[in-house]
Amino acid sequence: LGEERKQLAMLLFAIVNDYQLNSNELIALVDWLRTSNTEDPATLRLILALLVALNTSNVGSDHESSEAAALDKISHLVRDSQFLVKLNAEIIDKSWSDEGMKGLVWLQWALLALFGIKRSPGFDHLIGYREDRIEEIAQQAIHMGAYRFAVDYMLGYRITDDLDYELSAEFEVLQRQRKTQTAASASDSSSKDNQRYTHFTDVSEDLQWQIDNVLNCMITSFIERMSSLIRRMRYSEEDAIYQAQQAELQRIAQEEQRQLLQQQQQQQLLQSGFRYSRLINNQTSAGGMASSTAAAAPEPRRDTEALFLWITVLFSDRPDIGLRFWGRPDGTRLEMDDRLAVFLRWGSDCREQGMIRGYFNMLSSLACGPKASVCAYEFMSGNNSDFMSPSRSQVASNQAPLCSWPALFGALDFYASQMRQSEPDPLSPAPEIPESEVALLRSFLRLCRSVVRYSIVARTSLYDNAEYSPIISMFNLLGCTVPVSLKASLIGAISAFGELSQDIGYAEDSMSDVVRQTVSDTARRIWELLEQSQTLPTTSDIEALRQAKPAGSQPVPMPEQTPHRGITIGRGSISGNGSGGRPWQGRGGIIYELEEIESAVETYPEMRAFV
């Protein structure tokens, strides 16, 4: 009967979508969902029906019609004061089987209540609270996991294996913040799969569109109506994260001091000529136990990152759907007072590393599409209006804004140079990029790939820019010893410069023979760099053959060249004009990493990106 239950749930959603439920029907729907199982496919359809029933958003092409429908819902609730109070109690006061579902319903209810208070006189007296209490409900809803439920459950059909891998750092944040439901789940050494919601794969295209539309209306209304709450939560999180980082540094320093003191005490005892090994061991064990049993500080909340992730997944691979965030709802006209555009610019001021990573991933999804990618390119170039340009405070301090091409490609150059500093000395430890910074670089490369893939104008401008030299910067880092995940992102971004797909939706003039020839030439030059750098090992490369000679053979010296910006590969370089250097030091390029690294863990992100 599983299929029949899904059909009945879909039928109820269709009714709710076109008609207003009466009081008993709406309360019955809430009552069923409170005790429902998220693994039941009917739950997905019925939670969508409830969100539609409580929706008061005016998002859409027909603004007046949406506004009238929202006012009708409020009038229906106000007509029966007892029903309003009972519905509020059913949603707010009673327990729910899933905290995330409860949080998402609370958030939608808070948006409805706020709309009712502002548009219907006396609504606050009927419901029993004012705007301050509504914001408290919304904040509690977020802490319950409303964002996580929207992303990982409602939008589960959008989370492909590739997207899950690309956004792995973001999903890990969601998992760490998941509130433990029972003592059993807290003590269970469950795997990652057990911590995730069920992702339904049998979601029809029509249902997908309905879910996308409802969650789009919801997130838009939330940003428009509760921007002050979003701001306060972000600033509070930034302070809490900074304090936690300082506390962790202090803890590490104290631990190092304790260990040093313990070593000094042991040396004094040994020098005294007495055998106190048992006493020393007991003291060491006691110290270790004290250290391990010290109460760990609770991890700061990262709900702003989760909000960015909601937008990231919702708008991923949906060309030009997020144009309102760029202040251009129709792709041309700039609306400076649009709250979504204000929200986008406000996010560029984030300074916490996780938030910056989430922000770049959000930009990469919003940059999807021919029109949106141009907006994103201009935003990152600072060519937009002052309103839609990144933070002025960074410009005033003579720094390149963080959300800019110079700053981000400069970061790739910086890491490449840092990785190479120890290479002249084989005995020095190999430098490593911290994991958190690897994830940050991957989010930038995802943004670059999206902009370049969808916009021929942006692609040509970036490729020909001598200041950025993006291909050179990315090849520089690709030749260093960096994680495979970062190399996969680098290859994906490089390949976007040579891509020309009929499915992307370029304008007709963009598909002209001139543009095709330009892209073809770019792809050919990228391929030449692949061979010359020996990222792709080839026997046609003379220098590669020299490197393969027996030990002691001296390679023929390369001719002297004028200093210029070049692509550093291994310990050699390939210049911007294509001259060869010392490639990969005989490591075999991508073949080596396929056989020795990716095969060992049976995951192949770099090879898949290369193919």
Side-chain angles (χ1 to χ4, degrees), residues 234-273:
R234 172 195 143 182
Y235 299 143
S236 176
E237 289 171 20
E238 286 178 334
D239 291 342
I241 292 170
Y242 175 77
Q243 293 173 5
Q245 291 172 343
Q246 295 301 308
E248 178 64 13
L249 292 175
Q250 185 177 6
R251 186 196 65 79
I252 293 173
Q254 291 175 347
E255 179 66 16
E256 292 176 349
Q257 186 177 7
R258 185 189 66 81
Q259 292 178 358
L260 179 61
L261 180 61
Q262 189 178 73
Q263 292 173 0
Q264 292 174 349
Q265 291 175 346
Q266 291 177 358
Q267 291 175 358
Q268 291 175 0
L269 290 172
L270 291 173
Q271 291 173 359
S272 66

Side-chain angles (χ1 to χ4, degrees), residues 348 350-351 356 359-360 363 377 379-382 390-391 394-395 397-417 437 440-441 443-445 447-448 462 465 467-470 473-474 477 565:
S348 68
C350 290
R351 287 296 170 269
I356 297 171
Y359 181 73
F360 281 146
L363 290 184
Y377 170 73
F379 178 79
M380 297 291 290
S381 301
S391 173
Q394 298 174 358
V395 179
S397 60
N398 294 325
Q399 296 179 354
L402 181 61
C403 293
S404 66
W405 300 120
L408 296 173
F409 284 119
L412 297 182
D413 287 338
F414 169 78
Y415 284 113
S417 63
E437 295 178 22
L440 183 59
L441 290 176
S443 67
F444 158 61
L445 290 168
L447 169 61
C448 177
L462 285 174
N465 192 300
E467 179 187 1
Y468 306 155
S469 299
S473 298
M474 289 186 282
L477 196 55
R565 179 182 172 126

Side-chain angles (χ1 to χ4, degrees), residues 78 81 84 116-129:
V78 171
S81 59
L84 180 62
I117 288 177
K118 291 185 175 181
R119 302 301 299 273
S120 178
F123 188 91
D124 53 343
H125 297 292
L126 293 175
I127 203 170
Y129 44 78

Side-chain angles (χ1 to χ4, degrees), residues 83-383:
F83 165 53
L84 180 62
V85 172
K86 186 176 181 180
L87 181 60
N88 178 73
E90 192 78 16
I91 293 174
I92 301 297
D93 297 336
K94 294 188 177 181
S95 61
W96 290 65
S97 60
D98 186 89
E99 284 289 293
M101 183 195 302
K102 177 182 180 181
L104 192 64
V105 174
W106 272 38
L107 186 58
Q108 185 76 313
W109 179 249
L111 293 172
L112 180 145
L114 186 60
F115 181 81
I117 288 177
K118 291 185 175 181
R119 302 301 299 273
S120 178
F123 188 91
D124 53 343
H125 297 292
L126 293 175
I127 203 170
Y129 44 78
R130 299 181 182 275
E131 289 188 32
D132 55 345
R133 171 57 181 155
I134 291 175
E135 287 201 350
E136 289 178 5
I137 292 174
Q139 186 167 355
Q140 290 176 345
I142 294 167
H143 290 171
M144 290 174 189
Y147 294 160
R148 177 177 176 270
F149 187 82
V151 172
D152 203 30
Y153 185 76
M154 300 292 294
L155 295 172
Y157 59 88
R158 286 194 157 275
I159 305 175
T160 62
D161 290 341
D162 287 341
L163 187 63
D164 201 0
Y165 179 79
E166 287 187 348
L167 303 177
S168 57
E170 312 306 315
F171 286 113
E172 286 175 8
V173 169
L174 284 186
Q175 298 317 114
R176 290 199 305 268
Q177 287 197 165
R178 184 183 183 187
K179 185 177 180 181
T180 303
Q181 298 294 323
T182 62
S185 64
S187 59
D188 181 23
S189 58
S190 57
S191 65
K192 180 180 178 181
D193 290 339
N194 292 331
Q195 298 175 2
R196 299 286 292 271
Y197 282 109
T198 300
H199 293 173
F200 298 108
T201 57
D202 58 343
V203 181
S204 66
E205 290 186 4
D206 178 64
L207 181 57
Q208 290 182 25
W209 185 90
Q210 296 290 352
I211 296 173
D212 290 345
N213 182 60
V214 169
L215 292 182
N216 182 23
C217 291
M218 191 173 180
I219 193 67
T220 300
S221 298
F222 179 56
I223 293 173
E224 289 177 338
R225 299 176 189 176
M226 296 192 177
S227 58
S228 59
L229 174 63
I230 295 174
R231 291 173 182 271
R232 287 201 308 272
M233 291 186 69
R234 172 195 143 182
Y235 299 143
S236 176
E237 289 171 20
E238 286 178 334
D239 291 342
I241 292 170
Y242 175 77
Q243 293 173 5
Q245 291 172 343
Q246 295 301 308
E248 178 64 13
L249 292 175
Q250 185 177 6
R251 186 196 65 79
I252 293 173
Q254 291 175 347
E255 179 66 16
E256 292 176 349
Q257 186 177 7
R258 185 189 66 81
Q259 292 178 358
L260 179 61
L261 180 61
Q262 189 178 73
Q263 292 173 0
Q264 292 174 349
Q265 291 175 346
Q266 291 177 358
Q267 291 175 358
Q268 291 175 0
L269 290 172
L270 291 173
Q271 291 173 359
S272 66
F274 296 99
R275 296 181 178 179
Y276 289 131
S277 59
R278 181 175 298 178
L279 177 60
I280 292 173
N281 290 334
N282 289 339
Q283 290 176 346
T284 303
S285 300
M289 292 177 60
S291 176
S292 62
T293 56
E299 184 173 348
R301 296 200 60 85
R302 294 180 176 269
D303 294 307
T304 302
E305 293 177 47
L307 175 61
F308 291 158
L309 180 60
W310 181 347
I311 300 172
T312 300
V313 176
L314 179 60
F315 290 92
S316 178
D317 293 327
R318 299 177 65 197
D320 291 334
I321 297 297
L323 283 172
R324 275 195 62 191
F325 283 90
W326 302 109
R328 300 181 184 274
D330 59 357
T332 56
R333 177 171 40 91
L334 180 63
E335 293 189 1
M336 297 176 56
D337 60 344
D338 195 313
R339 288 292 182 90
L340 299 188
V342 174
F343 169 81
L344 186 75
R345 185 189 181 281
W346 165 80
S348 68
D349 287 330
C350 290
R351 287 296 170 269
E352 197 279 318
Q353 198 171 66
M355 291 184 189
I356 297 171
R357 181 190 65 235
Y359 181 73
F360 281 146
N361 280 320
M362 179 182 71
L363 290 184
S364 67
S365 289
L366 295 174
C368 176
K371 295 178 181 178
S373 58
V374 173
C375 294
Y377 170 73
E378 292 177 349
F379 178 79
M380 297 291 290
S381 301
N383 295 336

Side-chain angles (χ1 to χ4, degrees), residues 437-486:
E437 295 178 22
V438 168
L440 183 59
L441 290 176
R442 289 179 62 198
S443 67
F444 158 61
L445 290 168
R446 185 170 184 264
L447 169 61
C448 177
R449 184 187 67 194
S450 185
V451 170
V452 167
R453 180 188 176 213
Y454 283 98
S455 173
I456 293 293
V457 174
R459 180 186 310 190
T460 305
S461 299
L462 285 174
Y463 185 85
D464 293 337
N465 192 300
E467 179 187 1
Y468 306 155
S469 299
I471 299 296
I472 305 243
S473 298
M474 289 186 282
F475 265 108
N476 265 334
L477 196 55
L478 185 62
C480 298
T481 306
V482 296
V484 167
S485 60
L486 180 56

